[in-house]
Amino acid sequence: MVAFTKMHGLGNDFVVLDERAAPLGLTPDLARRIADRHFGIGCDQLISLEAAPGADVFIRIRNPDGSDAGACGNATRCVASLIAAETGQRQITVRTIAGDLPCTILRPDRVVADMGAPRLGWHDVPLAEAMDTLALPIAEAAAACSMGNPHATLFVDDIAAVDIGKDGPLLEHHPIFPERANIGFAQILAPDHIRLAMWERGAGQTLACGSGACAAIVNAHRRGMTRRRATISMPGGDLILEWRESDGHVLMEGPVATAFTGSFAL
Ligand SMILES: N[C@H](CCC[C@H](N)C(=O)O)C(=O)O
């Protein structure tokens, strides 16, 4: 039997598997089956912990469609809290394929993750051809950046008027995004408050997305719509984001929770 921990950040939920001692031999098909909410355990992302010399842990991030992701803000905070509970450390470095992310444990259920610096060039996202990442030709007000994974933020007047289940998948698969993209619909409520709804690449609509919240503050500030620090309210709750002026890193503060633990036969 394989033990798992079911965690979430703002309802963005994860099956966390510990592969530090030995790999489980997961394949995209197995990942899809574990992530299935009816025939499996169910989650927005499947997270594998792996040993990481020089960091506290490496996380491999898989979507419910079996694809890999380079970043996951909510899982980064969740895993940091898990490792902190094991080690008693207050500072945890979570390694991802996109880099090392230093995390600070504020409380057992509240973590700040340094998500690193966004990448703002069209080829970084990536986009299909050279263009201004602040003005994508897919909507009136749309901007893109990479947080280690591709994000587009569409600024809308009223999120309630958006048909996310229709527009989300169309934009995720738009030819402008050769690796697809995570799509955020953002409504500016105040210079320090953004409402955000997410359509995630490979996962669909989720209650929250940490890297999407990072992209929202970066893109909103670049467009002159917000300050560098804001509360991002998503259906699952609030994150506090700061795009730090001194080094350009994005800091994300928010809650983490363990829902339950269990085991299953692979
Ligand atoms: N939920 C995650 C992001 C998952 C991104 C994934 N859907 C991708 O393909 O990049 C977060 O909290 O940042």
Side-chain angles (χ1 to χ4, degrees):
M1 297 292 272
V2 175
F4 68 90
T5 305
K6 184 76 193 317
M7 305 190 79
H8 72 90
L10 309 164
N12 181 202
D13 64 343
F14 314 110
V15 168
V16 182
L17 299 175
D18 190 350
E19 300 190 68
R20 283 174 292 180
L24 291 166
L26 292 179
T27 59
D29 183 52
L30 274 169
R32 271 194 294 275
R33 288 160 64 184
I34 294 167
D36 190 293
R37 295 197 183 276
H38 302 285
F39 294 92
I41 303 167
C43 59
D44 292 331
Q45 270 85 38
L46 180 62
I47 307 297
S48 291
L49 309 185
E50 297 177 15
D56 291 298
V57 69
F58 173 85
I59 58 172
R60 193 171 301 283
I61 306 156
R62 292 181 175 90
N63 286 315
D65 71 352
S67 62
D68 284 345
C72 182
N74 286 321
T76 299
R77 294 199 323 282
C78 283
V79 168
S81 76
L82 200 68
I83 303 298
E86 278 179 17
T87 61
Q89 291 167 222
R90 277 198 64 238
Q91 300 287 335
I92 304 288
T93 301
V94 177
R95 180 165 293 165
T96 67
I97 54 176
D100 283 2
L101 308 177
C103 299
T104 305
I105 313 299
L106 301 180
R107 298 199 310 251
D109 63 352
R110 199 159 177 89
V111 177
V112 179
D114 177 342
M115 296 293 289
R119 288 183 298 142
L120 308 176
W122 67 271
H123 47 277
D124 296 322
V125 178
L127 301 175
E129 57 189 82
M131 67 182 75
D132 181 357
T133 58
L134 268 183
L136 306 186
I138 54 170
E140 223 168 87
C145 69
S146 170
M147 288 305 307
N149 56 352
H151 281 276
T153 315
L154 274 75
F155 294 97
V156 300
D157 293 334
D158 179 12
I159 281 189
V162 179
D163 186 346
I164 294 167
K166 178 173 145 282
D167 293 351
L170 284 175
L171 292 163
E172 174 193 355
H173 295 279
H174 193 288
I176 199 177
F177 304 118
E179 296 178 13
R180 302 188 283 159
N182 297 287
I183 309 295
F185 299 91
Q187 179 182 342
I188 307 297
L189 300 175
D192 61 357
H193 196 183
I194 302 173
R195 180 175 292 155
L196 180 69
M198 286 296 305
W199 178 270
E200 283 193 23
R201 174 178 70 166
Q205 202 167 347
T206 56
L207 293 177
C209 175
S211 52
C214 296
I217 187 74
V218 166
N219 288 329
H221 182 73
R222 289 164 78 210
R223 288 185 67 100
M225 301 167 113
T226 61
R227 295 200 271 270
R228 301 187 81 101
R229 186 180 161 87
T231 299
I232 314 277
S233 296
M234 292 174 281
D238 291 356
L239 290 174
I240 300 170
L241 268 295
E242 181 181 353
W243 187 14
R244 191 162 55 194
E245 190 141 29
S246 58
D247 60 1
H249 287 206
V250 183
L251 304 181
M252 175 192 59
E253 177 186 332
V256 298
T258 298
F260 57 93
T261 59
S263 63
F264 65 103
L266 203 57

